[in-house]
Amino acid sequence: MTTPLITEEELQRQLAEPSSRRVAFSLVVRLYSKQIYWQIRRMVYSHEDADDLVQNTFIKAWEAIEGFRGEAKVSTWLYRIATYEALNFLKKRRSEEEHRISPSEEADAAYLLSRLHADEYFDADEVEERFQKAILTLPAKQQLVFRLRYYDEMPYEQMSKLTGTSEGALKASYHHAHRKILELLDAEE
């Protein structure tokens, strides 16, 4: 995460104050847009979808700003909103697919990989593609935990606040995900 130009406490104070809320929120958008984009992008694999979901995340955050009580960091609050936006998007897409074909995890993975390849910004090599395929074999919760820990280096304590899961369960989930990914990558060599 980017080190803010303002302390967390000051940012939360300004967000709580109606007279400074708009300026503080624009700072929140500037500080966290990139991290939120990449969190979502790793889940949906499409630049256009990620851009739309980032906008939705900040719209929902703005609409809910009066209810933000500062019980979690601003970044944790935004990650939670972004995660739910991405998961709801994937659920909706999966529901749309169910009406056309018989749903399966393989179909979901194939769809997401096709989105990745269709994305003009995707320039990864074969190793990255194999890595992404391995991540997609994990259950949804393990995918989320793995991405937050591996890519964002999110501490388990913050992940716990984000997901509502105990730190011990998150550590176990990450360990199992990591092991499965290594096994899959080793098997392909």
Side-chain angles (χ1 to χ4, degrees), residues 89-104:
F89 170 82
L90 292 171
K91 183 177 177 183
K92 180 180 176 193
R93 191 211 41 88
R94 191 174 297 121
S95 176
E96 290 168 358
E97 289 292 311
E98 287 176 5
H99 288 93
R100 286 183 259 162
I101 61 170
S102 173
S104 70

Side-chain angles (χ1 to χ4, degrees), residues 1 32-44 49-50 52-61 74-90 144 148 152 154 162:
M1 285 254 150
Y32 297 109
S33 288
K34 186 175 180 180
Q35 292 92 332
I36 297 299
Y37 169 84
W38 283 108
Q39 176 199 2
I40 292 171
R41 175 79 185 268
R42 288 182 199 107
M43 294 175 75
V44 301
D49 292 338
D52 290 345
L53 291 169
V54 168
Q55 288 179 14
N56 291 350
T57 296
F58 284 110
I59 288 169
K60 288 207 171 164
V74 173
S75 59
T76 302
W77 179 64
L78 289 172
Y79 265 104
R80 178 174 286 171
I81 295 169
T83 298
Y84 287 125
E85 281 297 302
L87 290 174
N88 286 336
F89 170 82
L90 292 171
L144 176 62
L148 291 173
D152 299 325
M154 185 178 284
L162 174 69

Side-chain angles (χ1 to χ4, degrees), residues 59-154:
I59 288 169
K60 288 207 171 164
W62 177 252
E63 291 171 347
I65 197 72
E66 288 184 31
F68 178 66
R69 302 284 175 242
E71 294 164 357
K73 287 181 165 183
V74 173
S75 59
T76 302
W77 179 64
L78 289 172
Y79 265 104
R80 178 174 286 171
I81 295 169
T83 298
Y84 287 125
E85 281 297 302
L87 290 174
N88 286 336
F89 170 82
L90 292 171
K91 183 177 177 183
K92 180 180 176 193
R93 191 211 41 88
R94 191 174 297 121
S95 176
E96 290 168 358
E97 289 292 311
E98 287 176 5
H99 288 93
R100 286 183 259 162
I101 61 170
S102 173
S104 70
E105 288 182 9
E106 292 81 20
D108 284 344
Y111 173 80
L112 287 171
L113 286 172
S114 73
R115 297 292 305 210
L116 182 64
H117 287 287
D119 190 331
E120 65 184 276
Y121 298 103
F122 177 69
D123 62 355
D125 57 15
E126 180 183 331
V127 174
E128 178 65 21
E129 183 177 343
R130 286 180 33 228
F131 184 58
Q132 294 304 320
K133 282 181 183 178
I135 292 172
L136 288 170
T137 65
L138 301 171
K141 180 89 175 209
Q142 281 185 359
Q143 285 183 39
L144 176 62
V145 170
F146 183 81
R147 287 183 180 115
L148 291 173
R149 185 72 179 160
Y150 181 81
Y151 289 111
D152 299 325
E153 299 176 355
M154 185 178 284

Side-chain angles (χ1 to χ4, degrees), residues 11 14-15 20-31 57-63 65 74 77-78:
L11 184 59
Q14 288 182 17
L15 288 170
S20 60
R21 184 174 292 145
R22 188 173 298 277
V23 172
F25 192 77
S26 70
L27 178 60
V28 166
V29 172
R30 283 195 316 271
L31 289 173
T57 296
F58 284 110
I59 288 169
K60 288 207 171 164
W62 177 252
E63 291 171 347
I65 197 72
V74 173
W77 179 64
L78 289 172

